[in-house]
Amino acid sequence: MIGGLFIYNHKGEVLISRVYRDDIGSQAADSAVFSSSGPFLGERLGGVVRRNAVDAFRVNVIHARQQVRSPVTNIARTSFFHVKRSNIWLAAVTKQNVNAAMVFEFLYKMCDVMAAYFGKISEENIKNNFVLIYELLDEILDFGYPQNSETGALKTFITQQGIKSQTKEEQSQITSQVTGQIGWRREGIKYRRNELFLDVLESVNLLMSPQGQVLSAHVSGRVVMKSYLSGMPECKFGMNDKIVIEKQGKGTADETSKSGKQSIAIDDCTFHQCVRLSKFDSERSISFIPPDGEFELMRYRTTKDIILPFRVIPLVREVGRTKLEVKVVIKSNFKPSLLAQKIEVRIPTPLNTSGVQVICMKGKAKYKASENAIVWKIKRMAGMKESQISAEIELLPTNDKKKWARPPISMNFEVPFAPSGLKVRYLKVFEPKLNYSDHDVIKWVRYIGRSGIYETRC
Amino acid sequence: MTDPKYFTTNKKREIFELKAELNNEKKEKRKEAGKKVIAAMTVGKDVSSLFPDVVNCMQTDNLELKKLVYHYLMNYDCEDPDPLIRALTVRTMGCIRVDKITEYLCEPLCKCLKDEDPYVWKTAAVCVAKLHDINAQMVEDQGFLDSLRDFIADSNPMVVANAIVALSEISESHQNSNLLDLNSQNINKLLTALNECTEWGQIFILDYDREAQSICEQVTPRLSHANSEVVLSFLELLPKDSDYYNMLLKKLAPPLVTLLSGEPEVQYITLRNINLIVQIRPETLKQEIKAFFVKCNDPIYVKLEKLDIMIRLASQVLAELKEYATEGDVDFVCKAVRAIGQCAIKVEQSAECCTKVNYVVQEAIVVIRDIFRKYPNKYESIIATLCGNLDSLDEPDARAATIWIVGECAERIDNADELLESFLEGFHDESTQVQLTLLTAIVKLFLKKPSETQELVPLTTRYSDNSDLRDRSYIYRCLLSTDPVTAKEIVLSEKPLISEETDLIEPTLLDELICHIGSLASVYHKPPNAFVEGSHGIHRKHLPIHHGSTDAGDSPVGTTTAMNLEQPQVKPSQGDLLGDLLNLDLSSPVNAPQVSSMQMGAVDLQGGGLESLLVGQSFIPSSVPATFAPSPGPAVVSSGPNDLFEFSTGIGMAPGGYVAPKAVWLPAVKAKGLEISGTFTHLQALQHMTDFAIQFNKNSFGVIPSTPLAIHTPLMPNQSIDVSLPLNTVGPVMKMEPLNNLQGAVKNNLDVFYFSWLIPLNVLFVEDGKMEHQVFLATSKDIPNENELQFQVKECHFNADTVSSKFQNNNVYTIAKRNVEGQDMLYQSLKLTNGIWILAELRIQPGNPNYTLSLKCRAPEVSQYIYQVYNSVLKN
């Protein structure tokens, strides 16, 4: 399991050091002569070990001359897992053959928890909150085993004010929440107005060849629900899942053809704890008792029949050795009545760019030397439109023989529909014990499609 | 503290007095007071108001007082009404890893295990594991293990998860590794908890259950709740080698691909694991190849991994690879171009397309050479383009590859002689690799177009200081002058086919890694014991070689030592020599040249009894080309054929059962390592043997096989096969006794067989073992005299120069020679693969056949093995 956790600043100075196991310290006991062979063993540790484990990571990873070639590094039989957040390094250390994905998943979680407590993970914030961080580390890792790391639960008893005196009832409520005994919903919730919000949030990813061929595309989506419902409501969620539609189609063939509903093929999905998996497995129906407030009902991924909201058509021409002409056309590909927002096109420029002239029909375009790119921003754009930018890039002559790698043109945007084609068909609420019915619940559904990594090679 | 008098004081002002005493300046007084407090606490008095004063006393170096304070703390905190504090206490106390404190931990831990709050339980469960680490006996005695087992049935999922964690941690160091009987009842309890607990808890439970494959079916829906690590934990659990496994893998493919859109680090872990999976079941992810396309902002480690997997899934990726060849990162580009080559080798129709790629010419040419070897006479159209590029090449690899191509296709290139001549101009500045290739290419050219090449042949290599080069040109000259027809047969012989897959993981290792999927081992692609300390956390699941070491000990050590002593000068094996001459890498997993079977072994085995080891039988393998023998005596040829040693390992000789395969192991020098070929002679086995694999135990010099054992066809009864196994010295290191002992195991469809043999140390002498004169003197002074060992080499009749040249061939270099009072003194140095230097002084007295050898080394334990080498070299 995790033997220790260190946090470094960009210089490699240790900000947080928490050791859970002594073995981080123990030395290899073989004779000195035979230990030096093999690149894998790396340099030996000796002396005061904790300190040395800490140093080993700084020397071999943070200060390494070469770019990091793996997020897992083995130095002197000690494995270091690291993630980087802005210029802060988090490193988990172990001497055992641990579940590698779990360690990273834990580091991400640790970042989330810290961010939830004090915002951005920066050197200053960490220094200001180091007592809190130690307290958190004490709670979420015991003997190197991750314990409950849900921010909500943690915040009930790890506060920066110290624990207030609580009644016995409150205490047991905290402990059972922390240990996951209550689950996700308590009894006796009451709302005057029963209301629920469904957000379908998707991020669409694309890699396209210069000729407009889709090399790979996928949508990863989430259904986020905010529920303000009284009692213990039983919910049933329905969407245009291909398997469900086809199943029903067998019974009433005319209905599906009549409605002409498109269905989508979901490659993979995962659900919130509250969803009854056995039912999903047998009937593919999604039924659950929702937690109160906001939660993520499901995550999914699709790769087929994706609606690509934008098409990027690049044209790059090299005019002699000191000039490039770039023309990029973007076309919006959705219903004219819908509006895309926050559109940004990023056109990379060579490192030896000396000057850029840009002309664009819509929005604003700027050459950002520090980012080596032309950034073109358009606030709004309706469907089935197109717009164009042309730029002349002047280059300094170089004797660098290596050709410019021509990184792809990337795009950011937000559209008010789900690029996967997912549609919420229904969300039914049953609460037999209380006197409200499905019709009394006010339901809101919203679709937001955002760009993930949306790139076109040029 | 058990002193009864403390229990008798019973006054009203007591608390007040105690307070004063606790703050007394004298240590003794404070200790007394501490005892009184504990006593008062024990009889049930409330001394909690003394808390600050007691804590104050913690600042002491008096162990007894310190213990008292801890005891007080635990007692009070463990009775705190707040469960969070009770848990905190037990958690923190568990972290004070001092043996003497543990007795104080016991009682509060007992209490906590019987607490009313689940939060305290789950903390106490982990605390049991902590305590076990410090004092295992106590955990046993107190029955804490039973408490843990009881927790499995708890209704609180986290308590169950932590109890499982504690049990699995304890079982790693416990003599009874099966602490929890996984009967259906327990499994059901675990499954219930699995449904409710946190993601971490799910992993703990899944990791623990990895043996209980029956639960698979019931756990499958879990994939839909899961996070990445849960998915990978799940993989580990799958039953191996069954249809069901395949079906489940198919189900797993989508979640795995989903992981690839996660954070880069998890992507990396996933990719490393997928890399293993596609090696056993490529079809699982065939459909998903697009998920592995590289994104511009992927970190380099993700890019490289993706590329690796794409090669394995190959076929539709060429265009994509072409894109990568224009990327920025040099490593990545090179790998991409290599990948294109590998694709060409794998998928025939793509070869044509590949040969047109000339983005990164240098790497490309190396690749093209491989393509030529796979599809000779098919894509010669590229040659013209190639020849146009000659000038721009500066990498030796690329130059050598070009020369090879020119030599190989000499008959189709009109100006081949001119091209080669252009290389000859700068001959002495070239690297050895290029020189050797050029030499061979010229000979090829000569054999193909004798008329044009006359002037090229009188080569200048005679004055080269590289012995390989001299030797090779010497052989060629001899060959060409005596028998050009045979020369043609040898030099232009059919080359073995190049293999398709590269970088495949050795099957046994792959098996083991598959069992460790999700863990660090699967990320490093190394077995856990390669990076995990000693006993900690080693679950060897296949080929338990470390048990083998005891088995292998059965083979009489005395005889194997004898073998070592008789070890003569070792030269490249015949296959190796041939391969070297033709610039072919025979050591790659191609079909090794088939050396005739060794029936001799069978006879000996029967004659000499099963236990006897037959040693030092040297003979010439019959498959050595006959032309070598008559060639007029160049040293390299006459000693080329190797002496073969054979020994039966004496394992698996169950009376009346089948007879174990007999191994013949042949050590030989390769460019950088050691080569051992083995023969199996099968006597009475009724079954044929398949699925051979070999593995070595950790050894002193890190010798490991660099490729899997290449026996692809089943071995029929009474058939024998010769296989050579290239080795390298980058494996895990562990000091062995004797030092050069190498333990190994061969697995086949029948069983695993263990054996051990001794590495003759001279194969580990490296080429750069020549020390500078000054350094030699300094080092010699530097090494303490007690490290110097003296030996006698008896019955030798050479003069100093002969000796010196004899050793030179074995990478033992003479630094200086002196004549002192009629005696010749030779000062020599050599270096082992692990960087150990050995300094030797050899004293030769005229007329005295006994030489005196003094060896100096920082690691004197190697000296006697060096002596054995000296002995055998001089005796030969």
Side-chain angles (χ1 to χ4, degrees), chain B residues 388-401:
Chain B
N389 279 318
L390 285 184
D391 302 333
S392 58
L393 305 178
D394 48 16
E395 284 289 325
D397 260 358
R399 290 179 78 91

mmCIF file with all atom_site columns, all heavy atoms in Angstrom, chain B residues 388-401:
data_model
loop_
_atom_site.group_PDB
_atom_site.id
_atom_site.type_symbol
_atom_site.label_atom_id
_atom_site.label_alt_id
_atom_site.label_comp_id
_atom_site.label_asym_id
_atom_site.label_entity_id
_atom_site.label_seq_id
_atom_site.pdbx_PDB_ins_code
_atom_site.Cartn_x
_atom_site.Cartn_y
_atom_site.Cartn_z
_atom_site.occupancy
_atom_site.B_iso_or_equiv
_atom_site.pdbx_formal_charge
_atom_site.auth_seq_id
_atom_site.auth_comp_id
_atom_site.auth_asym_id
_atom_site.auth_atom_id
_atom_site.pdbx_PDB_model_num
ATOM 1   N N   . GLY B 1 388 ? 20.519 7.361  -53.841 1.00 0.00 ? 388 GLY B N   1
ATOM 2   C CA  . GLY B 1 388 ? 20.584 8.808  -53.905 1.00 0.00 ? 388 GLY B CA  1
ATOM 3   C C   . GLY B 1 388 ? 20.805 9.447  -52.548 1.00 0.00 ? 388 GLY B C   1
ATOM 4   O O   . GLY B 1 388 ? 21.280 10.574 -52.434 1.00 0.00 ? 388 GLY B O   1
ATOM 5   N N   . ASN B 1 389 ? 20.480 8.721  -51.523 1.00 0.00 ? 389 ASN B N   1
ATOM 6   C CA  . ASN B 1 389 ? 20.530 9.291  -50.182 1.00 0.00 ? 389 ASN B CA  1
ATOM 7   C C   . ASN B 1 389 ? 21.822 9.004  -49.432 1.00 0.00 ? 389 ASN B C   1
ATOM 8   O O   . ASN B 1 389 ? 21.981 9.420  -48.298 1.00 0.00 ? 389 ASN B O   1
ATOM 9   C CB  . ASN B 1 389 ? 19.369 8.754  -49.350 1.00 0.00 ? 389 ASN B CB  1
ATOM 10  C CG  . ASN B 1 389 ? 18.101 9.505  -49.648 1.00 0.00 ? 389 ASN B CG  1
ATOM 11  O OD1 . ASN B 1 389 ? 18.129 10.714 -49.779 1.00 0.00 ? 389 ASN B OD1 1
ATOM 12  N ND2 . ASN B 1 389 ? 17.007 8.780  -49.787 1.00 0.00 ? 389 ASN B ND2 1
ATOM 13  N N   . LEU B 1 390 ? 22.698 8.281  -50.075 1.00 0.00 ? 390 LEU B N   1
ATOM 14  C CA  . LEU B 1 390 ? 23.857 7.766  -49.344 1.00 0.00 ? 390 LEU B CA  1
ATOM 15  C C   . LEU B 1 390 ? 24.624 8.830  -48.582 1.00 0.00 ? 390 LEU B C   1
ATOM 16  O O   . LEU B 1 390 ? 25.047 8.620  -47.449 1.00 0.00 ? 390 LEU B O   1
ATOM 17  C CB  . LEU B 1 390 ? 24.803 7.063  -50.318 1.00 0.00 ? 390 LEU B CB  1
ATOM 18  C CG  . LEU B 1 390 ? 24.314 5.698  -50.779 1.00 0.00 ? 390 LEU B CG  1
ATOM 19  C CD1 . LEU B 1 390 ? 25.360 5.056  -51.666 1.00 0.00 ? 390 LEU B CD1 1
ATOM 20  C CD2 . LEU B 1 390 ? 24.028 4.813  -49.586 1.00 0.00 ? 390 LEU B CD2 1
ATOM 21  N N   . ASP B 1 391 ? 24.810 9.975  -49.216 1.00 0.00 ? 391 ASP B N   1
ATOM 22  C CA  . ASP B 1 391 ? 25.679 10.991 -48.620 1.00 0.00 ? 391 ASP B CA  1
ATOM 23  C C   . ASP B 1 391 ? 25.129 11.540 -47.319 1.00 0.00 ? 391 ASP B C   1
ATOM 24  O O   . ASP B 1 391 ? 25.871 11.940 -46.438 1.00 0.00 ? 391 ASP B O   1
ATOM 25  C CB  . ASP B 1 391 ? 25.873 12.147 -49.604 1.00 0.00 ? 391 ASP B CB  1
ATOM 26  C CG  . ASP B 1 391 ? 26.452 11.624 -50.897 1.00 0.00 ? 391 ASP B CG  1
ATOM 27  O OD1 . ASP B 1 391 ? 27.128 10.580 -50.824 1.00 0.00 ? 391 ASP B OD1 1
ATOM 28  O OD2 . ASP B 1 391 ? 26.209 12.241 -51.945 1.00 0.00 ? 391 ASP B OD2 1
ATOM 29  N N   . SER B 1 392 ? 23.816 11.578 -47.241 1.00 0.00 ? 392 SER B N   1
ATOM 30  C CA  . SER B 1 392 ? 23.231 12.265 -46.089 1.00 0.00 ? 392 SER B CA  1
ATOM 31  C C   . SER B 1 392 ? 23.228 11.414 -44.825 1.00 0.00 ? 392 SER B C   1
ATOM 32  O O   . SER B 1 392 ? 22.830 11.865 -43.771 1.00 0.00 ? 392 SER B O   1
ATOM 33  C CB  . SER B 1 392 ? 21.809 12.690 -46.418 1.00 0.00 ? 392 SER B CB  1
ATOM 34  O OG  . SER B 1 392 ? 21.066 11.550 -46.756 1.00 0.00 ? 392 SER B OG  1
ATOM 35  N N   . LEU B 1 393 ? 23.652 10.177 -44.933 1.00 0.00 ? 393 LEU B N   1
ATOM 36  C CA  . LEU B 1 393 ? 23.560 9.317  -43.756 1.00 0.00 ? 393 LEU B CA  1
ATOM 37  C C   . LEU B 1 393 ? 24.750 9.524  -42.839 1.00 0.00 ? 393 LEU B C   1
ATOM 38  O O   . LEU B 1 393 ? 25.886 9.475  -43.273 1.00 0.00 ? 393 LEU B O   1
ATOM 39  C CB  . LEU B 1 393 ? 23.530 7.853  -44.192 1.00 0.00 ? 393 LEU B CB  1
ATOM 40  C CG  . LEU B 1 393 ? 22.450 7.499  -45.190 1.00 0.00 ? 393 LEU B CG  1
ATOM 41  C CD1 . LEU B 1 393 ? 22.571 6.033  -45.565 1.00 0.00 ? 393 LEU B CD1 1
ATOM 42  C CD2 . LEU B 1 393 ? 21.088 7.779  -44.610 1.00 0.00 ? 393 LEU B CD2 1
ATOM 43  N N   . ASP B 1 394 ? 24.474 9.724  -41.561 1.00 0.00 ? 394 ASP B N   1
ATOM 44  C CA  . ASP B 1 394 ? 25.618 9.761  -40.654 1.00 0.00 ? 394 ASP B CA  1
ATOM 45  C C   . ASP B 1 394 ? 25.493 8.789  -39.487 1.00 0.00 ? 394 ASP B C   1
ATOM 46  O O   . ASP B 1 394 ? 26.450 8.562  -38.775 1.00 0.00 ? 394 ASP B O   1
ATOM 47  C CB  . ASP B 1 394 ? 25.899 11.176 -40.173 1.00 0.00 ? 394 ASP B CB  1
ATOM 48  C CG  . ASP B 1 394 ? 24.651 11.857 -39.689 1.00 0.00 ? 394 ASP B CG  1
ATOM 49  O OD1 . ASP B 1 394 ? 23.658 11.136 -39.439 1.00 0.00 ? 394 ASP B OD1 1
ATOM 50  O OD2 . ASP B 1 394 ? 24.651 13.092 -39.562 1.00 0.00 ? 394 ASP B OD2 1
ATOM 51  N N   . GLU B 1 395 ? 24.329 8.186  -39.315 1.00 0.00 ? 395 GLU B N   1
ATOM 52  C CA  . GLU B 1 395 ? 24.186 7.200  -38.239 1.00 0.00 ? 395 GLU B CA  1
ATOM 53  C C   . GLU B 1 395 ? 24.799 5.877  -38.692 1.00 0.00 ? 395 GLU B C   1
ATOM 54  O O   . GLU B 1 395 ? 24.491 5.394  -39.779 1.00 0.00 ? 395 GLU B O   1
ATOM 55  C CB  . GLU B 1 395 ? 22.704 6.969  -37.933 1.00 0.00 ? 395 GLU B CB  1
ATOM 56  C CG  . GLU B 1 395 ? 22.046 8.070  -37.151 1.00 0.00 ? 395 GLU B CG  1
ATOM 57  C CD  . GLU B 1 395 ? 22.515 8.101  -35.718 1.00 0.00 ? 395 GLU B CD  1
ATOM 58  O OE1 . GLU B 1 395 ? 22.775 7.007  -35.160 1.00 0.00 ? 395 GLU B OE1 1
ATOM 59  O OE2 . GLU B 1 395 ? 22.654 9.203  -35.168 1.00 0.00 ? 395 GLU B OE2 1
ATOM 60  N N   . PRO B 1 396 ? 25.645 5.260  -37.856 1.00 0.00 ? 396 PRO B N   1
ATOM 61  C CA  . PRO B 1 396 ? 26.251 3.992  -38.253 1.00 0.00 ? 396 PRO B CA  1
ATOM 62  C C   . PRO B 1 396 ? 25.206 2.926  -38.602 1.00 0.00 ? 396 PRO B C   1
ATOM 63  O O   . PRO B 1 396 ? 25.382 2.190  -39.559 1.00 0.00 ? 396 PRO B O   1
ATOM 64  C CB  . PRO B 1 396 ? 27.061 3.571  -37.029 1.00 0.00 ? 396 PRO B CB  1
ATOM 65  C CG  . PRO B 1 396 ? 27.024 4.688  -36.075 1.00 0.00 ? 396 PRO B CG  1
ATOM 66  C CD  . PRO B 1 396 ? 26.136 5.753  -36.586 1.00 0.00 ? 396 PRO B CD  1
ATOM 67  N N   . ASP B 1 397 ? 24.123 2.887  -37.834 1.00 0.00 ? 397 ASP B N   1
ATOM 68  C CA  . ASP B 1 397 ? 23.065 1.913  -38.102 1.00 0.00 ? 397 ASP B CA  1
ATOM 69  C C   . ASP B 1 397 ? 22.576 2.020  -39.528 1.00 0.00 ? 397 ASP B C   1
ATOM 70  O O   . ASP B 1 397 ? 22.427 1.036  -40.244 1.00 0.00 ? 397 ASP B O   1
ATOM 71  C CB  . ASP B 1 397 ? 21.874 2.168  -37.169 1.00 0.00 ? 397 ASP B CB  1
ATOM 72  C CG  . ASP B 1 397 ? 21.878 1.212  -36.004 1.00 0.00 ? 397 ASP B CG  1
ATOM 73  O OD1 . ASP B 1 397 ? 22.793 0.358  -35.975 1.00 0.00 ? 397 ASP B OD1 1
ATOM 74  O OD2 . ASP B 1 397 ? 20.989 1.332  -35.154 1.00 0.00 ? 397 ASP B OD2 1
ATOM 75  N N   . ALA B 1 398 ? 22.318 3.265  -39.923 1.00 0.00 ? 398 ALA B N   1
ATOM 76  C CA  . ALA B 1 398 ? 21.759 3.506  -41.243 1.00 0.00 ? 398 ALA B CA  1
ATOM 77  C C   . ALA B 1 398 ? 22.788 3.202  -42.316 1.00 0.00 ? 398 ALA B C   1
ATOM 78  O O   . ALA B 1 398 ? 22.476 2.594  -43.345 1.00 0.00 ? 398 ALA B O   1
ATOM 79  C CB  . ALA B 1 398 ? 21.294 4.950  -41.349 1.00 0.00 ? 398 ALA B CB  1
ATOM 80  N N   . ARG B 1 399 ? 24.036 3.603  -42.077 1.00 0.00 ? 399 ARG B N   1
ATOM 81  C CA  . ARG B 1 399 ? 25.084 3.339  -43.070 1.00 0.00 ? 399 ARG B CA  1
ATOM 82  C C   . ARG B 1 399 ? 25.256 1.846  -43.252 1.00 0.00 ? 399 ARG B C   1
ATOM 83  O O   . ARG B 1 399 ? 25.310 1.340  -44.378 1.00 0.00 ? 399 ARG B O   1
ATOM 84  C CB  . ARG B 1 399 ? 26.403 3.969  -42.618 1.00 0.00 ? 399 ARG B CB  1
ATOM 85  C CG  . ARG B 1 399 ? 26.395 5.482  -42.670 1.00 0.00 ? 399 ARG B CG  1
ATOM 86  C CD  . ARG B 1 399 ? 27.727 6.048  -42.182 1.00 0.00 ? 399 ARG B CD  1
ATOM 87  N NE  . ARG B 1 399 ? 28.770 5.962  -43.194 1.00 0.00 ? 399 ARG B NE  1
ATOM 88  C CZ  . ARG B 1 399 ? 29.006 6.935  -44.073 1.00 0.00 ? 399 ARG B CZ  1
ATOM 89  N NH1 . ARG B 1 399 ? 28.258 8.016  -44.072 1.00 0.00 ? 399 ARG B NH1 1
ATOM 90  N NH2 . ARG B 1 399 ? 29.951 6.820  -44.943 1.00 0.00 ? 399 ARG B NH2 1
ATOM 91  N N   . ALA B 1 400 ? 25.319 1.148  -42.131 1.00 0.00 ? 400 ALA B N   1
ATOM 92  C CA  . ALA B 1 400 ? 25.494 -0.297 -42.209 1.00 0.00 ? 400 ALA B CA  1
ATOM 93  C C   . ALA B 1 400 ? 24.330 -0.924 -42.967 1.00 0.00 ? 400 ALA B C   1
ATOM 94  O O   . ALA B 1 400 ? 24.524 -1.802 -43.803 1.00 0.00 ? 400 ALA B O   1
ATOM 95  C CB  . ALA B 1 400 ? 25.598 -0.891 -40.807 1.00 0.00 ? 400 ALA B CB  1
ATOM 96  N N   . ALA B 1 401 ? 23.132 -0.446 -42.697 1.00 0.00 ? 401 ALA B N   1
ATOM 97  C CA  . ALA B 1 401 ? 21.957 -1.006 -43.357 1.00 0.00 ? 401 ALA B CA  1
ATOM 98  C C   . ALA B 1 401 ? 22.039 -0.789 -44.851 1.00 0.00 ? 401 ALA B C   1
ATOM 99  O O   . ALA B 1 401 ? 21.725 -1.677 -45.645 1.00 0.00 ? 401 ALA B O   1
ATOM 100 C CB  . ALA B 1 401 ? 20.690 -0.379 -42.786 1.00 0.00 ? 401 ALA B CB  1
#
